[in-house]
Amino acid sequence: MFHGSFQPQRQGQTQFPCTHGQQSYPPNEGQQPSRVPDDNPDENPDPQPPSPSVPPLEEMDQFSGYENVDGTPLQPPPSYNEALRLPPPQSQAITTTVPVISEEQARSALLDHVSHNCCFGSKAAKKMKFTNIFRLSAFHYSLESYTEKRSAKWDYEPYHDQVIGGSFNGSVPSPWDIEARPPALFQSNTETMEVPHTASIKPCHDCIGLSRKRCYKCGGRGMTRCKWCNGNGYDCTFCHGYGKKRCSVCKGHGHTACNTCNARGKLKCFIRLTIEWNVHHDDYVDHVEHVVERTSLPDELIRTVSGETVFKQELPRVWPINHFPHENINEASKNLVQRHLNDFQATQKSLLNNFFQRQKIRVIPVASIYSNWNNNSFSYFVYGFEHKVHAPDYPQQCSCGCTLL
């Protein structure tokens, strides 16, 4: 709502220079300028164009299925439960052919590791004596749920005489009846689209359909107090003795073009549907114990290397694994599958005609190596098909950043 004496200029109306009383701006030569009235403000020290506002929801049209259009996730359709009634798949036999590591490979892997660490000397790796090698395995179970979430909210854009597909052209589809496909399975992605037949033309709520708004810098007066003479005008070369200057934003008109409607006065309002495809990942790492101790290889190292995939399953809903030889993996599968079911069935759904859950088990080869050099016993790990090394107890290292031979 506009206040004061501001009147928007109508089409065809002649524009005149800003005046104060009968005095023109700038004043005529020899004319004594009067002081600026106190209601002429200083210019806004940090003027910023106002951000477009949101149309009032109570002025929007109502459509079945879109009663709460506020951007919150929409409830999934009943078809989600169809996947939950599928029978469990038959058990698969799990076999593994993970290769074992030799002493030569263990030494070569350590030498390569030392060469990439400037604080490790190579003599220990070259001269060490092997005392024992325990060839083990680590198990990496992972579960991925690929879900689809939909939300809807009112949106708008300036109306430029574009074709409007309003409700008079057909019925409005429900949020879950609108077909949309992800570009690829198990890849996160977001897509937005206009809901068909929800568009309508409405006056711009920001400018009340006038196409322009009160100037945010001068407050609609068209003039601001001269900051060089503080408004007294005497002997001021910046305002020519007038005490005020024309607003640099509105050029003295007192109003600016409305950014919300792009000075058109009208908006195209419609419901925008947002579809999010998300990958939810959880995993569990288990280590095999040997006769000395349980492996102390950090789990995050196991996740970064390759191994043999001994089990993989993709279904609308996977069932917990219950036939793996190591019970810890079976228990982890049971817990994670149930957690995903509880977390995502309330607001997200499976993809129609596509798999949306994937689980797999990888077996990672691990060698726990014990050796001796210069009367110092130490151990290290070689893991993964890449023969990565974890050797925090390597005996020939320093902390000063120098290179040891």
Side-chain angles (χ1 to χ4, degrees):
M1 180 178 293
F2 299 119
H3 301 280
S5 60
F6 169 70
Q7 295 292 334
Q9 181 182 345
R10 302 186 181 275
Q11 186 173 4
Q13 189 175 11
T14 305
Q15 296 196 23
F16 298 94
C18 296
T19 61
H20 172 62
Q22 300 298 320
Q23 196 169 1
S24 63
Y25 177 85
N28 296 328
E29 185 176 356
Q31 185 179 7
Q32 183 66 30
S34 60
R35 293 180 59 84
V36 178
D38 291 339
D39 64 348
N40 275 302
D42 294 331
E43 65 179 30
N44 189 341
D46 186 26
Q48 297 292 333
S51 300
S53 60
V54 178
L57 292 179
E58 59 270 16
E59 297 183 7
M60 298 295 101
D61 301 330
Q62 298 294 321
F63 300 104
S64 176
Y66 299 89
E67 289 79 8
N68 298 314
V69 185
D70 57 2
T72 57
L74 300 169
Q75 291 296 319
S79 60
Y80 179 89
N81 295 324
E82 295 176 3
L84 307 184
R85 292 194 293 266
L86 294 176
Q90 295 182 352
S91 300
Q92 297 179 220
I94 297 178
T95 59
T96 177
T97 57
V98 174
V100 296
I101 192 172
S102 65
E103 290 188 359
E104 181 180 356
Q105 291 173 322
R107 189 186 302 274
S108 177
L110 183 59
L111 284 170
D112 182 69
H113 177 72
V114 167
S115 68
H116 290 88
N117 195 318
C118 66
C119 291
F120 281 20
S122 60
K123 186 178 296 184
K126 293 177 181 178
K127 301 296 185 181
M128 66 180 181
K129 303 293 184 181
F130 292 100
T131 58
N132 215 333
I133 297 180
F134 295 97
R135 297 170 177 86
L136 314 168
S137 294
F139 305 106
H140 183 207
Y141 170 78
S142 63
L143 173 66
E144 295 171 285
S145 289
Y146 192 48
T147 60
E148 178 180 321
K149 179 172 63 176
R150 297 192 176 193
S151 59
K153 63 185 303 183
W154 279 102
D155 204 350
Y156 66 90
E157 61 186 37
Y159 177 61
H160 294 283
D161 301 323
Q162 62 265 45
V163 177
I164 300 298
S167 57
F168 51 84
N169 289 330
S171 59
V172 177
S174 67
W176 290 102
D177 287 339
I178 299 174
E179 185 174 355
R181 300 288 182 181
L185 286 176
F186 293 98
Q187 287 187 13
S188 297
N189 194 59
T190 300
E191 181 178 336
T192 62
M193 62 181 68
E194 177 182 333
V195 177
H197 312 309
T198 61
S200 60
I201 304 171
K202 298 185 181 299
C204 177
H205 60 282
D206 218 3
C207 64
I208 326 176
L210 297 174
S211 304
R212 48 186 170 265
K213 298 177 61 177
R214 185 187 300 275
C215 178
Y216 56 87
K217 187 172 184 180
C218 67
R221 295 174 174 85
M223 309 292 288
T224 57
R225 190 188 309 275
C226 177
K227 63 181 180 181
W228 300 102
C229 64
N230 198 27
N232 62 43
Y234 299 110
D235 299 323
C236 181
T237 60
F238 291 94
C239 66
H240 305 285
Y242 197 55
K244 57 183 178 180
K245 62 177 183 176
R246 182 175 288 120
C247 176
S248 61
V249 172
C250 67
K251 310 303 181 186
H253 300 302
H255 55 79
T256 58
C258 177
N259 292 328
T260 301
C261 63
N262 199 16
R264 301 287 294 188
K266 296 179 180 179
L267 296 174
K268 171 190 172 183
C269 297
F270 58 95
I271 296 178
R272 184 181 297 279
L273 182 68
T274 300
I275 305 173
E276 299 178 59
W277 293 283
N278 299 302
V279 181
H280 308 275
H281 179 270
D282 275 302
D283 68 346
Y284 171 78
V285 175
D286 189 43
H287 300 268
V288 174
E289 299 180 5
H290 58 73
V291 295
V292 178
E293 61 180 354
R294 184 177 175 83
T295 62
S296 57
L297 189 63
D299 291 350
E300 59 268 19
L301 298 182
I302 294 296
R303 296 184 175 98
T304 61
V305 294
S306 58
E308 181 183 2
T309 300
V310 297
F311 178 84
K312 184 177 182 180
Q313 184 182 67
E314 291 183 352
L315 290 171
R317 176 200 171 185
V318 298
W319 289 79
I321 297 172
N322 58 14
H323 56 284
F324 195 69
H326 297 274
E327 187 56 34
N328 288 347
I329 295 294
N330 296 330
E331 187 66 23
S333 177
K334 175 183 176 182
N335 294 336
L336 293 182
V337 168
Q338 186 61 45
R339 181 194 302 174
H340 281 217
L341 180 63
N342 294 339
D343 289 348
F344 309 129
Q345 69 173 338
T347 58
Q348 306 188 44
K349 66 180 282 287
S350 64
L351 300 177
L352 296 177
N353 303 321
N354 283 310
F355 298 131
F356 81 99
Q357 275 194 316
R358 177 168 64 189
Q359 63 180 347
K360 61 181 178 180
I361 301 174
R362 297 188 309 131
V363 179
I364 312 299
V366 177
S368 180
I369 301 167
Y370 291 81
S371 57
N372 186 280
W373 172 76
N374 198 22
N375 294 325
N376 292 317
S377 297
F378 70 98
S379 63
Y380 65 97
F381 295 98
V382 179
Y383 59 97
F385 286 169
E386 300 87 349
H387 286 178
K388 292 290 186 179
V389 170
H390 179 62
D393 300 327
Y394 186 70
Q396 194 183 4
Q397 57 180 306
C398 71
S399 58
C400 61
C402 61
T403 301
L404 299 177
L405 300 178

